[in-house]
Amino acid sequence: MAYKAEKILPYQQEEKKSVQVRRMFDAIAQDYDRLNHIMTFGGIDKRWRKTAIRLVGEKNPRRILDVATGTGDLALSIYRILHPEQIVGIDLSEQMLSIARTKANNAGISGEITFECQDCLNLSFADASFDAVTVAFGVRNFEDIQRGVNEMFRVLAPEGVLMVLELSTPDQFPFKQFYRLYARYVIPLLGKIFSKEKMAYQYLPRSVAVVPQGDDMLQIFRNAGFENTRCKRLTFGSCSVYLGEKQKKRP
């Protein structure tokens, strides 16, 4: 099934979505962390990440791939909380990865996390390379969400877990109405004030509005072969954690 999320583009030009997404994140890399902090009211996103990491940690993964790692916040938090044997973070944007490497170096853990420029639709890793795959706030930027989930399933080992943390739309009064106003007016205004790339912050609320949510996202997981799929909604439904497990090979 093709989702409208993949038709929402940062620049509305005749280019592949992956090309536009790479260009957009290269352009906003220097402002990204500061704006995230402002837009999530002082860092609610940090709590969301910790909740997601705790859920992944229930499986005690030793090899972890962080897809759409951006500036590396999730990958660094995973290391601090779970201390796995291996963490690899991948992203389309070399500018975002450069900031991630600097963060890891400043934290004294540059040797513990590998950051690579890769496309999630065509990963270089062998089948069954990781015990967990994580994605935080990146699925809505995929060129093709189903293909991306299929590829993450491929590189997971049997009994591995996929965790997707993604913004979602509240569905209860008054949070639904507040979020609609915030997304439509406040986010683009903040982007215009604090970033040179105002198109990126017009794209953000539009991409959240159409990304598959709830059971629609879990159905994508199931299409790829995941079992025991589940969703946990956070902060009145403004963010969701999606989980799926790759079952052990049957004899």
Side-chain angles (χ1 to χ4, degrees):
M1 180 184 295
Y3 289 95
K4 291 180 181 179
E6 294 141 35
K7 305 299 181 185
I8 298 295
L9 305 174
Y11 299 108
Q12 304 299 313
Q13 297 176 358
E14 295 299 322
E15 293 177 307
K16 291 178 62 177
K17 183 171 182 177
S18 59
V19 173
Q20 295 190 37
V21 166
R22 178 187 292 113
R23 180 150 54 92
M24 177 184 72
F25 281 110
D26 278 345
I28 67 173
Q30 297 300 323
D31 302 315
Y32 183 80
D33 288 335
R34 179 172 58 129
L35 266 168
N36 263 6
H37 188 73
I38 294 169
M39 289 181 179
T40 58
F41 305 102
I44 295 173
D45 58 311
K46 294 179 182 178
R47 296 207 304 267
W48 293 340
R49 288 188 182 92
K50 287 181 180 178
T51 297
I53 292 168
R54 284 197 297 270
L55 292 170
V56 172
E58 292 174 2
K59 301 290 288 185
N60 193 32
R62 308 316 303 156
R63 303 167 298 163
I64 300 176
L65 172 66
D66 186 37
V67 173
T69 196
T71 61
D73 280 349
L74 184 64
L76 270 68
S77 294
I78 287 172
Y79 176 78
R80 295 185 184 112
I81 295 171
L82 301 183
H83 300 288
E85 296 171 3
Q86 178 190 24
I87 306 178
V88 180
I90 68 154
D91 201 276
L92 286 171
S93 168
E94 189 57 57
Q95 294 301 316
M96 298 283 274
L97 289 170
S98 177
I99 294 171
R101 293 185 187 107
T102 298
K103 284 182 180 179
N105 185 60
N106 291 343
I109 56 173
S110 58
E112 310 299 331
I113 307 175
T114 302
F115 292 107
E116 300 180 8
C117 191
Q118 290 202 35
D119 187 340
C120 67
L121 303 189
N122 188 28
L123 297 171
S124 67
F125 311 107
D127 295 358
S129 293
F130 298 96
D131 305 311
V133 177
T134 61
V135 193
F137 313 117
V139 160
R140 67 181 181 276
N141 300 318
F142 285 10
E143 180 87 43
D144 184 319
I145 295 174
Q146 185 66 69
R147 280 183 58 198
V149 173
N150 292 350
E151 184 70 346
M152 292 186 286
F153 181 87
R154 179 185 68 78
V155 301
L156 269 174
E159 302 186 80
V161 61
L162 169 64
M163 184 285 292
V164 169
L165 181 67
E166 188 54 86
L167 297 173
S168 51
T169 306
D171 57 7
Q172 294 184 1
F173 177 86
F175 309 108
K176 179 179 180 179
Q177 288 71 19
F178 171 79
Y179 177 82
R180 185 180 298 166
L181 292 172
Y182 183 74
R184 182 174 296 180
Y185 300 109
V186 179
I187 290 177
L189 177 61
L190 290 173
K192 185 176 182 180
I193 293 171
F194 292 102
S195 174
K196 299 175 183 177
E197 195 69 12
K198 64 179 182 179
M199 291 294 290
Y201 295 95
Q202 294 172 356
Y203 162 78
L204 171 59
R206 291 188 295 114
S207 65
V208 173
V210 298
V211 70
Q213 299 183 21
D215 195 63
D216 288 337
M217 181 68 79
L218 295 180
Q219 186 58 53
I220 295 175
F221 280 37
R222 293 190 287 266
N223 291 345
F226 286 100
E227 299 182 20
N228 193 22
T229 59
R230 54 207 184 276
C231 172
K232 181 178 178 67
R233 290 170 70 79
L234 308 173
T235 315
F236 311 113
S238 58
C239 185
S240 297
V241 184
Y242 303 95
L243 296 156
E245 297 176 14
K246 184 173 182 176
Q247 294 301 300
K248 192 174 183 177
K249 289 185 177 180
R250 297 176 176 87

